[in-house]
Amino acid sequence: MSDDDVRYPPAELADLPDDIRTMIEEQAERAGFIPNVFLAMARRPAEFRAFFAYHEALMDKDTGGLTKADREMIVTATSAANDCLYCVVAHGALLRIYAKDFHIADKVAVNHRAAGLPERQRVMLDFALKVCTAPGTVEDADFDVLHAQGFDDEDIWDITAITGFYGLSNRLATVTGMRPNPEFYLLGRMPRS
């Protein structure tokens, strides 16, 4: 499959239900482009609504002990483990922006343990990757390590839920042939003019 091929054609904006079209247009206004995931998921309106409602509940909240950068770091690391190009590139861009660090996403995607992260974030990603790759091996000792870094049980739920949700997203993006928008590759790499 070439970079230009997708297995499922994206929806046409003009053909979408009003609520979905409005949401996509608002996103395009904020970002300056329509992320490919929106039109890919819009093929199935009920799934689009459920997907983005859960995304918002996990990623856009200001409660709990995880920052927006932490959340995007989890997505970037676990998406790399799942070989999902779309999510590594798109969420790596958001990670660079939220962390205000031009290099962090590349380091986290390749090897978070060699990325020079604070211990708290390293432990968070160690756990997220365990949930991603070997969830049956999670044990009470993993909670103890996270608690020692200041994460509470609700934060651990969030780490787990973000990892699980993006496991779904990674598989959909990869199997459907979704490709990152060219804009994502440059976002957060240079200061805005």
Side-chain angles (χ1 to χ4, degrees), residues 12-186:
E12 293 293 330
L13 194 59
D15 298 337
L16 296 175
D18 290 343
D19 64 316
I20 294 175
R21 186 175 54 255
T22 298
M23 182 181 167
I24 292 172
E25 288 170 345
E26 288 171 355
Q27 175 62 32
E29 179 72 25
R30 281 191 304 276
F33 64 98
I34 298 173
N36 290 337
V37 67
F38 284 86
L39 294 177
M41 292 299 296
R43 299 179 69 257
R44 294 183 165 201
E47 291 176 38
F48 176 99
R49 291 180 187 104
F51 181 90
F52 284 104
Y54 197 43
H55 173 275
E56 186 175 320
L58 289 173
M59 302 300 286
D60 293 339
K61 67 182 186 176
D62 290 324
T63 58
L66 301 180
T67 66
K68 288 190 179 211
D70 289 337
R71 292 170 194 281
E72 296 299 341
M73 193 176 294
I74 293 164
V75 178
T76 302
T78 59
S79 295
N82 287 327
D83 297 322
C84 182
L85 177 66
Y86 184 90
C87 291
V88 169
V89 173
H91 291 276
L94 296 173
L95 173 56
R96 288 189 297 272
I97 291 166
Y98 291 136
K100 297 177 176 61
D101 181 337
F102 305 149
H103 309 286
I104 192 168
D106 301 314
K107 292 176 183 178
V108 165
V110 172
N111 181 357
H112 77 279
R113 296 181 140 273
L117 298 173
E119 181 73 6
R120 181 180 186 277
Q121 289 175 324
R122 188 194 57 74
V123 165
M124 174 187 76
L125 293 181
D126 285 346
F127 180 74
L129 286 163
K130 187 172 190 178
V131 170
C132 177
T133 62
T137 65
V138 171
E139 55 191 4
D140 290 343
D142 297 308
F143 280 67
D144 295 341
V145 170
L146 289 160
H147 290 150
Q149 291 298 320
F151 293 103
D152 65 21
D153 288 343
E154 296 306 311
D155 298 328
I156 297 169
W157 178 288
D158 285 343
I159 295 166
T160 303
I162 292 165
T163 301
F165 178 75
Y166 277 94
L168 162 75
S169 180
N170 296 159
R171 284 151 181 82
L172 281 170
T174 300
V175 171
T176 62
M178 196 182 309
R179 296 292 180 245
N181 301 68
E183 295 89 345
F184 280 128
Y185 286 95
L186 298 177

